[in-house]
Every structure is written in structure tokens, then in C-alpha cells.
Amino acid sequence: MEEHLTVGRVAELAGVSVRTLHHYDEIGLVQPSARTTAGYRAYSAGDVERLREVLVYRRLGFGLREVADLVDDPGTDAVAHLHRQHGLLLEQRDSAAAMVTAIETELRERALGIRTTPEAQLKMVGAQLYEVIGSAYPATRRTEPRIAARIWEALGDAQTVLNVGAGAGSYEPPDRDVTAVEPSAVMRAQRPAGAARCVDASAESLPFEDQSFDAAMAVSTVHHWYDPIAGLREMRRVARRVVVFTHDASDPGWRHRFWLTRDYLPEVAGLVAGRPSVDQLTHAIGARMEPVLIPWDCADGFFEAYWRRPEAYLDEHVRRAVSVWTRVGPDAEQRAVDSLRDDLSSGRWAELNGELVALDAAELGLRLLVA
């Protein structure tokens, strides 16, 4: 016989009041499927799973009507809810980390007698990840022609291309009819004059009809999406071909191959925990997967780009254009930078990684998915 939990026990475990559970029952949001012999509400494992989904969405700030629509969506199962909630929680953590960084900066400035402007104070409370790192993108984030060649070749003969999570427009093919999608106003504002038209939308809900484009592409953006699987399926819906440039964070080997995560910033492992694996992404759209090597002089300053140029990670401008540094938090960042600086000065880094000097390119988990 399936075990059931009493309403009092459920309230105790979930940290809510019995009155809240009674209200959820009355409005049909979470209705216990059984009663005890004394007539009290009793929750099955399925009831508890639904309650868990409801409570997480509530604590993320959703209203009861929005929560009902989410948990009653017939196209979303428990795993999909977990992925969506994980993404939303990561977004909240990123926002909190950005605000912590801003507050710490203001504290340092005030200690020096510098008064923060009203504009800066207001920006701090509205901080989002791209609003913090987006303004640094033009300095170090640009198209790497050798990687671009791989992406554009994978697009095949597609003439109409949708660029999802387009950012400032890097890697958009100049010889195709491109439509861009980018939810960040900061990133949209940095698109150069003459760039493709850009739509304010998210990957998970693309405002286009089925098969509207010959191809859809996404470059170094999937890890920022609330629900990567849903986003990729949307790309598959609106385009006949899908090309995604991403990272295989599911392989623990890459963290050991890359000296920065292995020796200085192990917190990166926590950032990717729970995210869909690259195999899951591949399977979701029926893609093939190809490795992409990183040239030693890579022009695009993403996280792994400076694998043979370690001094670059000491540069504040380089770090601010990479979301990882904001997400690990200021303490981990400072510790990693200080340790790397010491090892470069003492020669220890060269002793541990001297073999890299002979390499023209490195395999550090970058992948191209083509469907």
C-alpha cells in the first residue's frame, strides 16, 4: 500500500502552515488524494511532488494563478519542471551575486570617501547578469574567425537564419538573411549599426511560426537559458536546421584538462551541476556532436579562450566579460586571481603547464551540435 503523509506532517516538512495547505486544497491547486481513518487529509507521493513544484514556483515569486497554469501544463513533466526551476533559481543567484558585487564596490568607494551617484544606486537594485557583464563585452568578446567558419559551414545552404540568444551579434553570418533574438536590453543596445533586426524574446518561447527559417543558430548562450531543452526544441520547431555552439560541462575530464578550473576555480563545477548534459541537448533535437578546438590566440574572450595566455585572467576587463566570474562570487574570484598571480610570478604555473606552449589549439570541451 502506498504510504501517505498527513497534512500536519507535510506542513512541518515543507515549512508552510496547515492553513496554506487547506487553501491550496480548496482552490484545487494541490488536493490530497486520500483521507486518514479519522478523516484528515493525506498526501501521496504524487501529491507531494505537485506540492513541491507549487512551493518552488511560489518562492520564485509566481502568483497562484501563474503557478496553476505552470503545474497544469500537460506538456511539462516533473523533470521539465525541475530544469525550469533550476534555471530560474540560477538566475536569482546570478542577480544576487551581481548585487553583492555592486554593494561591495560601493562599500569600497564609500570607505575612500567616494559618493555613489543616484543612477548607480538604482542600477544596483535592478541588476541582472547581463546588465553587469554586458557592458564589458565589446572589449574582449568578438567573432573568432576559425570558430565562425565551423558554424557557418554547419549552416549549409541556409539563406534565412534565426540567431537565438544573439547578444551583440558576434558570429552572425554576413551573407545570409539573419533575424536575431535577444532578451537583454543591454546586449541589444550594443548591436552595431546595420546589424540584423533583433527581436526581444526568449529561446523558450520564440514568436515565429513553424519552419519559418532555413536554420536557427545559438552561440555560447544555452547555459544562460531558463530551460535549455525547451529552447532547443523551439529552435527545432521554427527552423529546418539547428546549429548550436556550446560546452560539454557534463564531462568531468574537462575541468581537469583546463588548469584554471582544476587549480584555481573549482567552484565552476557547482555552476554546471544539475544542468542538462550535452548528450541530453543532442538527443533533444536529434543532433550530431562535433568537438571544436580553441586556437591559442582565440579572438573571442570566452572563459577558456586564454588557456595559453594565463596573464589575461588577471585583467579585470577580461573577467567582467565572462559570466562565470560573476557567478562564482567575488571571494572565489579574488582568491583565484591572487593565487594565479603568485604562481605566474614564482614560475609555478609554467612548471605545471609548460607543455601548453607547444600546442596551437586545445580541446577543452567546446562542442558544435548540428541537427
Side-chain angles (χ1 to χ4, degrees), residues 63-358:
L64 288 175
R65 183 172 297 178
E66 294 174 300
V67 172
D69 290 339
L70 288 167
V71 298
D72 288 331
D73 180 1
T76 305
D77 60 16
V79 173
H81 279 300
L82 287 171
H83 282 310
R84 177 186 291 161
Q85 291 167 348
H86 183 262
L88 290 167
L89 287 166
L90 285 178
E91 183 73 12
Q92 281 196 356
R93 183 181 67 182
D94 293 341
S95 296
M99 291 177 70
V100 167
T101 300
I103 289 171
E104 290 178 340
T105 299
E106 182 173 348
L107 285 172
R108 289 193 294 269
E109 290 176 345
R110 288 188 177 236
L112 296 172
I114 303 171
R115 183 74 178 181
T116 305
T117 66
E119 291 84 357
Q121 292 176 15
L122 291 175
K123 288 180 180 179
M124 179 187 71
V125 297
Q128 297 292 328
L129 181 60
Y130 271 134
E131 274 60 32
V132 174
I133 68 173
S135 60
Y137 265 60
T140 62
R141 301 303 296 272
R142 57 183 67 91
T143 300
E144 162 50 54
R146 287 157 289 191
I147 294 177
R150 292 283 303 277
I151 295 171
W152 297 345
E153 180 183 10
L155 291 173
D157 60 358
Q159 291 303 304
T160 57
V161 177
L162 179 68
N163 186 18
V164 181
S170 297
Y171 297 98
E172 290 179 357
D175 58 343
R176 325 273 181 127
D177 180 7
V178 177
T179 299
V181 167
E182 173 53 55
S184 168
V186 169
M187 300 305 291
R188 291 197 304 272
Q190 294 184 51
R191 294 179 64 81
R197 76 181 184 98
C198 191
V199 178
D200 178 6
S202 66
E204 296 85 351
S205 183
L206 296 173
F208 306 105
E209 299 293 331
D210 294 357
Q211 303 295 291
S212 295
F213 302 90
D214 295 332
M217 59 183 281
V219 178
S220 299
T221 180
V222 172
H223 57 287
H224 289 304
W225 298 355
Y226 289 146
D227 189 338
I229 298 294
L232 292 181
R233 287 175 176 164
E234 273 288 88
M235 291 176 67
R236 194 70 166 133
R237 178 184 66 80
V238 304
R240 287 177 283 278
R241 175 180 288 260
V242 174
V243 177
V244 178
F245 180 55
T246 188
H247 188 279
D248 183 6
S250 60
D251 175 14
W254 74 266
R255 293 194 293 272
H256 298 288
R257 287 194 298 272
F258 187 28
W259 53 265
L260 183 57
T261 54
R262 181 190 66 217
D263 301 330
Y264 303 97
L265 207 61
E267 289 83 0
V268 170
L271 300 182
V272 301
R275 300 289 285 175
S277 69
V278 72
D279 290 332
Q280 290 174 307
L281 300 180
T282 302
H283 178 73
I285 54 174
R288 70 174 189 272
M289 180 167 55
E290 304 173 359
V292 178
L293 302 185
I294 306 173
W296 77 269
D297 55 348
C298 184
D300 190 354
F302 49 77
F303 182 57
E304 302 88 352
Y306 304 97
W307 59 270
R308 215 183 88 173
R309 296 169 287 169
E311 296 83 1
Y313 294 107
L314 305 181
D315 188 333
E316 174 78 11
H317 294 95
V318 167
R319 299 197 306 276
R320 290 288 67 79
V322 179
S323 63
V324 166
W325 294 102
T326 298
R327 294 177 66 189
V328 298
D331 292 340
E333 176 180 3
Q334 193 60 56
R335 186 209 65 239
V337 170
D338 290 345
S339 182
L340 175 58
R341 182 181 292 110
D342 291 344
D343 285 353
L344 288 171
S345 298
S346 68
R348 183 173 182 271
W349 185 92
E351 292 176 5
L352 295 174
N353 303 285
E355 75 282 358
L356 298 182
V357 177

